[in-house]
Amino acid sequence: MGKVKKRRNFSHKNVTPPTGGPSQAEIEDAMEVDETMEENSSEKKPQDFLSGLTNLQGSVREATCVALASFFAGDGDASPDKLKMLQKLLNAGLLKKLLPRVVDPSKQVRLHALGALRNISAFGGLDVSEFMMTEDILTPCAKLLAEYATEATLVTPQNKDLHTIQIVEQVFALLTNLCESSSMALVQITAQRQALLPCMLLCLRLKQPALQLEVMKLLLVLSDNNPDLSRNLPQEFPPTLLQILQAPENSTKLRLTTIGVAINLPNVLDNPESVALLLPVLKSAVAYDSIGVVEQAKAVSDQWELSLEDYGTVEVIGDEDAEEREHEAKVKKAVHTVRAWHDNVHILTLGLELLSNIIANAGDEDDDEEWASDDEDGMEQAAHNQTATSASRTVSVPAQIFGAENVLPHIYSIVQSVVSIPPNMAPAVVNNFTLIRERAVNCFTNLVANVSVEDLTRAFDLTQASQVLLTLLANAKTDTAPTELFPAEREKAGDVDAAVMAALGALVLRSVEDSIALNISNDHLGIVMSCVQSSPSVEARTNAIRLLGTLGKKPHALPENKVLGGCLYQALGDSDLQVVCEVLNALFDVYADEQYDSVFFELNFLTSLEHVSSGMKNKIKSDAKTLDRELIAHAKETRLNLVRFIKYKKQHRR
């Protein structure tokens, strides 16, 4: 009786779990809709499968939870068919049968039920997370934390259990997914902070890296844009965060996530010592060797197809010849190479994002005052205050420290290195480079906008930097990548158009405000105007128009003004309210005085602006309940300025 050799196309989906129950392939078969079958027959299949969740045998319940967790794991197969499968299961009562398994008598069932819910919440996104909230998913989660997240179970040596730690880890990961997708979850979980925060603090103090990371992710989501929670964290939290941040044995990912939480705490960014503590980890994360990155990217591209043959954790006992063992070793090596690249990209992009947020958010706490959307006096006072602030630019603490540490030249070097993507890369690797481009350019933008004049002019020549950015934009339009490296942790490649236009706008603004030399050729100006007219991105069009408005503040000849005015005139017809508001603000800047009145009246702006004013009034009135509140307030303020601008220009009409 010989043993069967393992086939190279062997799939872990076909392996029957050792505890019994359905395999992943059987799940797919159970949920497959056969159009030739009668409707009633096809509806019975999910019910039959879900019966495993209520089976009297614990091994079957466990196996069913494992199969669900595996099926909805982050393999990136978010196809319409798979989404239909999820909806089919939900309609068949998946949550009503799965949620009780979270408090199942068997600890193993609890663990895998949480894993299934975690994967389903990530896979299903907003709609599924909201549905989970309506099914009261927080109650069993709270029960598990009350039972397991205690000193008696996690700290006492005789009671410490790996499965207990894993259960708590899965609970926090599930809560993070819910908060990221559902505002309802964020509000309700924040409301339960008195019970939740002590559990989180206890887990952060344990030397369990995976658990610490999941707790830190949840704390980051809860504290982001939530000053009430950040200001009222128990006093034990800051020292605990500092201890995690300074421990060299902790992973870079954990320490970066800790920085994300720390910068949400009050006064951290105003304290030079606090910012100095964050900087070493950030500099380590954004360290960039362009030659090494390209070499690693080529290695990943060469081994990408081979890595797709990963056998996972499945072990098949059987005789293997030397060729088979050699092939399996190559697959494992390819998988390791791809995962190492993925981890490096994640750390780099996270570091860039944190640097960008730190420099942008420093000093923002004073800008939170709001006024009623119909309060014209409040709008005028806010505009006056903003003008006064702009006239007396202050350099924030992070900007001072980043400037002294030459962070801007380093980020600029990263931007230069990704101007072009090496040829013959796997589509997934191209997507990673696109993400690096966007994060690097965004970080560059915020640094340019906030560092001192001395640090800015020492870092690079503004004209050369603008040429680099426009070359990057031109190359980005030719780079295409239909797939992604790790679709399970899919991140949008980003809007490079918008990022580049924002960066150019920051350069032009500093040139105007600080009288720094910057020359933009007509060809490059044409690229900006093309973006205004044809970019599908609202943000890109808005940034490009803001750039043109800033350019219009610089002295220029009438022919140049006519070209600029013609572009803005066409943009007035944009269908997006935000873009129209930006066009109007640009017109206010360019035609504020009488120097270019001849062009203004030649292009018949006055009549067009009167039509725009009437249209904006109707748009604001009809869409006030559907549009973003901040956009409505901004549109009302802009229209108020427009009415006054029209009146002013009528007085100067010849």
Side-chain angles (χ1 to χ4, degrees), residues 109-121:
V109 175
R110 293 183 177 193
L111 175 62
H112 295 301
L114 284 167
L117 287 167
R118 173 186 181 178
N119 292 346
I120 290 170
S121 64

Side-chain angles (χ1 to χ4, degrees), residues 19 49 62 112-113 133 140 150 186 226 241 287 311 329-330 339 355 402 465 506 520 548 580 594 608 612 635 654:
T19 53
F49 166 71
E62 177 187 345
H112 295 301
M133 292 300 300
T150 64
L186 187 60
N226 191 350
L241 297 178
Y311 296 114
K330 289 181 179 179
R339 287 178 178 170
L355 274 174
F402 291 173
I520 296 182
L548 293 178
V580 173
E594 303 176 27
S608 297
V612 170
R654 295 182 179 87

